């Protein structure tokens, strides 16, 4: 079974669902959960801030928000009796999927549990898919977790769909 699970968090509902799946796996196997949050700096900057403003206000703000996200998830897991570690990274222009794969190795994880939005068509083309890229390059198995409604919406009519 697994002894170390990597769970990347981005604050989305799908990441939260993946966290819940990882908690179930950790309870069953006694695994440690490593929570990872990767900050994509360019999403927090308009490029027009003065360097001093960026360093003294913008960067500390997104670092604090990222740490808060990790701390809240870690608190919940610890209250559930699980062992947790946290990792906060800045992407520095690297693709998120590559950083997640690197962290799986660096932290000795045997499974990545990742929420995915399940984008299709133009959305997937324009936004890309870090989940798909991670599944291709990860050095360990990747469990992709989607919102239940996307499974129900794509169920074949007449087959009753998935139970709630």
């Amino acid at each position: 079974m697994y002894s170390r699970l990597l769970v990347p968090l981005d604050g989305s509902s799908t990441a939260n669902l993946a966290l819940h799946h990882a908690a179930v796996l950790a309870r069953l196997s006694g695994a440690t959960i490593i929570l990872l949050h990767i900050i994509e700096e360019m999403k927090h900057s308009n490029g027009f801030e003065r360097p001093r403003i960026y360093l003294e206000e913008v960067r500390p703000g997104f670092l604090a928000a990222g740490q808060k996200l990790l701390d809240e998830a870690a608190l919940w897991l610890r209250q559930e009796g699980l062992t947790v570690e946290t990792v906060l990274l800045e992407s520095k222009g690297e693709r998120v999927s590559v950083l997640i794969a690197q962290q799986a190795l660096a932290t000795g994880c045997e499974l990545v549990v990742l929420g995915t939005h399940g984008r299709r068509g133009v959305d997937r083309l324009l936004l890309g898919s870090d989940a798909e890229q991670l599944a291709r390059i990860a050095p360990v198995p990747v469990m992709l977790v989607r919102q239940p409604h996307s499974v129900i919406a794509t169920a074949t009519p007449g087959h009753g769909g998935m139970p709630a």
Side-chain angles (χ1 to χ4, degrees), residues 6-95:
L6 182 64
V7 183
L9 299 177
D10 63 3
S12 69
S13 60
T14 55
N16 193 40
L17 187 59
L19 178 63
H20 285 272
H21 278 269
V24 170
L25 285 173
R27 273 188 218 102
L28 292 172
S29 64
T32 296
I33 296 178
I34 291 65
L35 300 174
L36 171 65
H37 180 66
I38 299 172
I39 297 167
E40 295 177 89
E41 301 90 346
M42 295 312 294
K43 289 185 177 182
H44 300 277
S45 172
N46 63 20
F48 294 106
E49 305 95 355
R50 292 185 172 159
R52 183 176 177 180
I53 298 295
Y54 180 83
L55 291 173
E56 293 178 1
E57 295 177 26
V58 176
R59 185 171 181 267
F62 64 65
L63 289 173
Q67 191 61 55
K68 180 180 179 194
L69 177 73
L70 290 171
D71 291 344
E72 288 173 354
L75 176 63
W76 175 73
L77 291 169
R78 288 183 182 117
Q79 288 173 341
E80 295 292 312
L82 299 170
T83 304
V84 184
E85 298 173 16
T86 63
V87 178
L88 179 65
L89 295 177
E90 294 176 77
S91 70
K92 298 186 174 153
E94 285 284 334
R95 190 162 177 175

Side-chain angles (χ1 to χ4, degrees), residues 71-124:
D71 291 344
E72 288 173 354
L75 176 63
W76 175 73
L77 291 169
R78 288 183 182 117
Q79 288 173 341
E80 295 292 312
L82 299 170
T83 304
V84 184
E85 298 173 16
T86 63
V87 178
L88 179 65
L89 295 177
E90 294 176 77
S91 70
K92 298 186 174 153
E94 285 284 334
R95 190 162 177 175
V96 169
S97 55
V98 171
L99 293 171
I100 295 170
Q102 289 171 349
Q103 278 304 300
L105 279 177
T107 57
C109 291
E110 296 114 355
L111 178 70
V112 177
V113 183
L114 180 69
T116 180
H117 300 284
R119 290 186 183 100
R120 300 269 187 252
V122 174
D123 282 345
R124 184 166 162 253

Side-chain angles (χ1 to χ4, degrees), residues 147-157 161-162:
Q147 290 290 352
H149 72 277
S150 57
V151 173
I152 293 169
T154 60
T156 306
M162 301 281 292

